[in-house]
Structure formats: structure tokens, C-alpha cells
Amino acid sequence: MIKKLQLPLQTVNMVVGFICWVIISPLIPFISEDVSIPPDKLALITAIPVILGSVLRIPIGYFANMIGARWVFMISFVLLLFPVFYISNAATYIDLMIGGLFLGIGGAVFSIGVTSLPKYYPKEKHGLVNGIYGVGNIGTAVASFSAPVIATQIGWQNTVRLLLVLLLIFIALNFFFGDRHEKLVKQPLMKQIKGVIGNEKLWVFSLWYFITFGVFVAFTVFLPNFLTNMYELSATDAGMRTAGFIALATFIRPVGGYLGDKFNALICLILVFLGITAGAIILAFNPPFWLFTVGCLVVAASAGIGNGLVFKLVPQYFNKQAGIVNGIVSMMGGLGGFFPPLILATVMGMTGHYAIGFMLLSQLALASLILAGWMYYTDQLAVSKEVFSSMGQGILVTDLTGKITDVNPRFTEITGYSEDEVIGKNPSILQSGEQDKAYYINMWDMLKEQGIWQGEIKNKKKDGSIYTEWLNIKAVYNKEGEVERYVGTFSEIDSSIQTNG
């Protein structure tokens, strides 16, 4: 029973953590009435919680493996009590920056669930499970929607203080219902980091999550002020529309995980980055409000699906190091939410509009699309190479001139010739002399006419022994119908060996 509760419990834990993480952003219009905030510090104040929320994801993911999700969630929520209380009594923008930095603990709890929950489910469900857990992102929407509404009734300070009650409740829930017997993985942190740091796929996944989750976080902290300043919406209306963006990106995330379970995740990511590219280009041209809304929704849906897909790929490529890789990838995603608001604010200050910032997003998404296509292509090559190497028959490939370009391990086992000894040579090195010239002329005539030849043939091994094989030769054609190469597959069918006299 306790194990079945972990997915809903940890998902709601993440909701609470994310509410705390972004609580400053939707309350800025209210806080500004009581606290003097320089205009050039607004973007920094809303973005600064992302710093600790990103960096802490690596150690928190590591400790989730070491001591279990139950303890890490409880400790995180206890620690969050202090910055929440401090912010509720903030008198200067410096107070907001200090308290906001430590609110980052709320964003860091994300790496607990993606490390813990896959232990409870088979691999073919990891994408969906991580996608469902990712719905905990809705905490940012809850904050964006509810905080301004509550603040109009009881003030922003008391709105923040309500989080103290919420945190205490969830500390108790985790104490009683967290899994006390979770399977733990104890391995030195630096050893795990060294084991994955040189793998290029780690950094590709980090870039992808930097964009997909970074877009989600950046728009969460950026949209309320953007909508009030650029489109003159009220704080409440801007909060509700931001909540709509967050809700779409969040609730569609399990769809990304499901698609990753059912189809090739890399193909799905190509479509995701195509969507982000198109949406960002729309936003870059300072569109009317309805078109701006369309662009935001396209970006939200694409980013949400992409979030689910990335964490489907992590355990697929890093089965034994999933904890530390989840931490690094999710850290990069968090940092992806820190820089865009600052860049957009800087671009706005220099140029008077946001076009360059949105175009930069579109180009990063386009580069990621290309990377996803490259990884899909190399994966297909790796699969083909694995099949080629594991075939039970000997295989040799020649070019049009008859020179050998590739052989598989079974070829070496049968003939005794290594790959280095035959590459660039003619297959005639295998001839035994048992077939006359007319035999080979007939073989090549049939290949030219029908594109295939098969039959018994006696060949000679490296040690001089003669063996009988069943040989199939097939011509491989290009799109223009011209022969590109020949592929021969053979099996030894006569175990009796005659020695060449």
C-alpha cells in the first residue's frame, strides 16, 4: 500500500515545492506597493530562486538515492520554512533576493521523484511515470493563479505565510506515508559524476532540458510582468493567463512520456523542437495579443511534451547512473529558466523590444532539432552495426570494383582472416581453385541480370584448408537504381576439411 502511494504523494510534494519556488513572481505587483524595487532589479528578483533550485538538484538527486525520498522531502520542506517566513517580513528588495535564493530548495525537489519513482515501475512505464510526476509543475500555475487572488483579500505577506502551514502539513504526510523501505543506492558522488561527465549524450540531454524546462520556468516568471507591461493586463488577469500557459505545459507532460514509451522518443523530440522554433518566431515579431497567445500555447505544448520525452531518454541511456544524470540534466533545465528573463530584460533595455531574445530561443530550438536528428541517425547506425556484428553467418561487403569494404566477426571465425587483412583486397584471396573461370563468369552474369546469386562453393581459409560454404551474393542499389555495392553472406556446410596439396 505504501509503495502505491509514492507516485501521488511525491507528485503533490513537487506541487508544494514549486509553489514555494515561484511565489515571489505572481506577487511582485503587490510587493512593489510596499517594498521599493528598482526597475532594473525586477527580472533578477524573479529569476534568482532558479539559481539554487538548479544547482541543488544534483546533491538532492544523489541523497534521494542515498537516504530515500521520504527523508529528503521532509528535510527540504523543513528548510523551506525559513526563507518563506523571512520573505513574508521583507522590507527591502535585498530581503527578497536573499529569501528568494533559498526558495530555490523548492525547485530542487524535482530531482527527488525522477530518481526515486522509477524504482517502483518496469522500464516500459518509466516515461509515463516520470511524465505523471512532472505534473507537479502545476505548482507554478497554482501560485500564479491563486496568489494574486488571495493577496487581494488578505495581503501579500499573509499569502506567503499560508505556505508555512502547507509545508508543515506535508512534512507530516511524508513522515507517515513516505516509503521507509525504499531501495537505496550508495555510491560516492564524485565516482558517479566521473562515470558520466565525458558522455556526450549527457550534455545533449542537458541542452534539450535547458530549452524545454527552461522555457517553462522562464515563461512562468516572465509572463506576469510582460503581460502587464506590454499588453496592459491587470495583475490578476496576467496571473490567470500565465497559469493557463503553465497548466497546458504541465498536463501535457505525461503525453510526452507516453509518446516516448510508445514511439521513438528522438523522432518525437524533432517535432517538439520544430514546434518551439515556430512558436518563438511568432513571438519575435511583436504580434497582436491573439497571435501572441497562439505562439505561447504552441511553445507551452511543445515544451511540456519535450519535458516528458527527455526523462524517458535518461534511464534508457544511463540505466546505472540515472540518479546523478537526472540531477545534472534537471539542474541545466533549471538554469535554462534563469537566463532567459535576464536576457529578455537586457534586450528590451537595449533595443526597446524582445525580438532578438525570442529569435535566440528559436535558433537554440532549431539546433536541438538538428541534434535530435543526428542522434536518431547514429542510433540507427549503431543498431545496424550490432545486427551486422552479431549475425550467425559470415558477411563481406565489396564496392563496385570488387574490393572488400567490410566484414563481420563471423567472417573471421570461418575464414581465419582478420578484418585488417582483407579490407581493400579482392574476394579472390578466398578462392580454392576448385571452380574454373567459367563458374565465376556465370556467377557475375547472373548478378548483373538478376541482382542475386546463390549456391555451393569451395573456398580456402587462411591456413590453406578447403571448406564448402553456401554463399548468397546480393547487389545493393541506390535510389537511382544503380548498383552501389555487393553483400555476400555465407555459412560453412561441410565440416570435413581437405588440405591443399
Side-chain angles (χ1 to χ4, degrees):
M1 180 62 181
I2 289 293
K3 290 184 177 180
K4 291 182 179 179
L5 286 175
Q6 296 316 297
L7 178 55
L9 176 62
Q10 293 190 30
T11 301
V12 182
N13 282 341
M14 183 175 161
V15 172
V16 174
F18 273 46
I19 291 174
C20 296
W21 191 26
V22 301
I23 192 63
I24 292 178
S25 180
L27 292 177
I28 277 291
F30 300 92
I31 296 173
S32 298
E33 295 176 3
D34 298 322
V35 179
S36 177
I37 304 175
D40 61 336
K41 294 293 189 297
L42 275 173
L44 183 60
I45 288 171
T46 56
I48 205 166
V50 179
I51 297 175
L52 204 60
S54 303
V55 175
L56 279 183
R57 289 184 173 191
I58 295 177
I60 280 186
Y62 170 73
F63 282 113
N65 257 338
M66 286 284 289
I67 64 175
R70 174 175 174 267
W71 276 107
V72 181
F73 271 121
M74 285 196 297
I75 293 169
S76 298
F77 289 158
V78 168
L79 293 176
L80 275 171
L81 292 171
F82 297 96
V84 168
F85 180 76
Y86 185 78
I87 287 172
S88 70
N89 293 282
T92 68
Y93 78 90
I94 299 295
D95 291 334
L96 295 173
M97 293 176 68
I98 295 171
L101 176 65
F102 291 99
L103 285 181
I105 297 169
V109 301
F110 170 79
S111 60
I112 303 174
V114 293
T115 300
S116 171
L117 289 173
K119 300 173 184 177
Y120 300 96
Y121 298 90
K123 290 182 181 179
E124 59 270 18
K125 292 187 177 180
H126 284 179
L128 179 61
V129 169
N130 278 332
I132 293 172
Y133 173 69
V135 171
N137 286 344
I138 198 66
T140 56
V142 173
S144 297
F145 173 76
S146 63
V149 175
I150 297 173
T152 58
Q153 301 299 317
I154 63 174
W156 68 267
Q157 294 96 335
N158 288 327
T159 301
V160 175
R161 288 175 189 138
L162 284 177
L163 296 180
L164 299 173
V165 178
L166 192 62
L167 289 168
L168 289 171
I169 291 171
F170 275 84
I171 291 169
L173 286 175
N174 280 276
F175 179 80
F176 289 109
F177 299 109
D179 186 3
R180 299 168 187 262
H181 305 290
E182 179 182 338
K183 182 181 178 181
L184 304 179
V185 179
K186 297 185 178 181
Q187 189 178 17
L189 178 61
M190 291 311 299
K191 182 178 179 181
Q192 291 190 45
I193 293 176
K194 288 178 181 178
V196 301
I197 204 74
N199 191 320
E200 72 277 0
K201 287 184 175 63
L202 168 65
W203 303 111
V204 173
F205 295 163
S206 296
L207 171 64
W208 291 346
Y209 204 58
F210 180 90
I211 294 172
T212 57
F213 187 71
V215 162
F216 171 81
V217 176
F219 274 63
T220 297
V221 301
F222 167 76
L223 274 179
N225 286 327
F226 182 89
L227 292 174
T228 54
N229 293 332
M230 295 298 294
Y231 292 101
E232 299 181 347
L233 301 184
S234 68
T236 302
D237 193 10
M240 292 180 64
R241 292 178 185 276
T242 301
F245 173 94
I246 297 166
L248 175 59
T250 297
F251 287 119
I252 205 169
R253 182 167 179 155
V255 176
Y258 175 80
L259 291 174
D261 287 336
K262 295 296 181 182
F263 306 102
N264 188 294
L266 294 172
I267 293 294
C268 296
L269 276 168
I270 290 173
L271 298 177
V272 160
F273 290 121
L274 182 62
I276 294 177
T277 300
I281 289 174
I282 291 174
L283 300 179
F285 286 92
N286 195 24
F289 184 68
W290 71 268
L291 190 55
F292 179 87
T293 302
V294 170
C296 282
L297 293 178
V298 170
V299 170
S302 300
I305 292 173
N307 288 338
L309 287 167
V310 171
F311 280 97
K312 165 64 181 178
L313 289 170
V314 169
Q316 181 176 323
Y317 288 89
F318 296 93
N319 185 31
K320 294 182 179 179
Q321 306 98 350
I324 192 66
V325 173
N326 281 329
I328 294 172
V329 171
S330 59
M331 178 193 73
M332 295 303 294
L335 291 176
F338 174 72
F339 292 105
L342 299 182
I343 293 173
L344 286 170
T346 302
V347 168
M348 179 63 178
M350 294 174 62
T351 65
H353 51 77
Y354 296 95
I356 295 176
F358 286 125
M359 285 303 295
L360 178 59
L361 171 61
S362 73
Q363 296 310 299
L364 281 173
L366 185 59
S368 295
L369 184 156
I370 295 170
L371 279 173
W374 165 79
M375 186 174 288
Y376 174 77
Y377 174 72
T378 55
D379 276 3
Q380 295 301 108
L381 287 181
V383 170
S384 299
K385 186 66 176 177
E386 184 177 346
V387 172
F388 180 80
S389 298
S390 62
M391 284 287 289
Q393 295 176 306
I395 304 175
L396 80 160
V397 183
T398 73
D399 60 18
L400 285 178
T401 66
K403 291 182 179 180
I404 298 174
T405 59
D406 206 357
V407 296
N408 73 340
R410 183 61 179 152
F411 172 93
T412 299
E413 292 174 13
I414 295 175
T415 68
Y417 286 101
S418 68
E419 182 178 354
D420 291 340
E421 291 174 318
V422 297
I423 296 297
K425 303 289 181 63
N426 192 284
S428 60
I429 63 171
L430 300 172
Q431 287 183 8
S432 64
E434 298 283 329
Q435 291 83 211
D436 58 18
K437 186 175 181 180
Y439 184 92
Y440 292 103
I441 292 175
N442 177 64
M443 175 192 292
W444 285 104
D445 285 344
M446 187 175 292
L447 268 173
K448 290 177 181 177
E449 292 174 7
Q450 301 179 18
I452 190 171
W453 180 92
Q454 58 183 354
E456 284 190 13
I457 187 171
K458 290 184 181 291
N459 274 339
K460 182 173 64 175
K461 299 185 179 183
K462 181 180 178 180
D463 63 8
S465 59
I466 307 298
Y467 70 101
T468 304
E469 67 181 40
W470 182 263
L471 174 64
N472 292 272
I473 305 176
K474 193 175 188 306
V476 179
Y477 299 91
N478 60 22
K479 293 181 180 179
E480 286 73 36
E482 300 172 340
V483 177
E484 277 189 332
R485 63 182 70 89
Y486 295 98
V487 178
T489 60
F490 61 94
S491 301
E492 188 173 5
I493 60 173
D494 188 356
S495 60
S496 62
I497 299 176
Q498 304 167 350
T499 305
N500 225 7

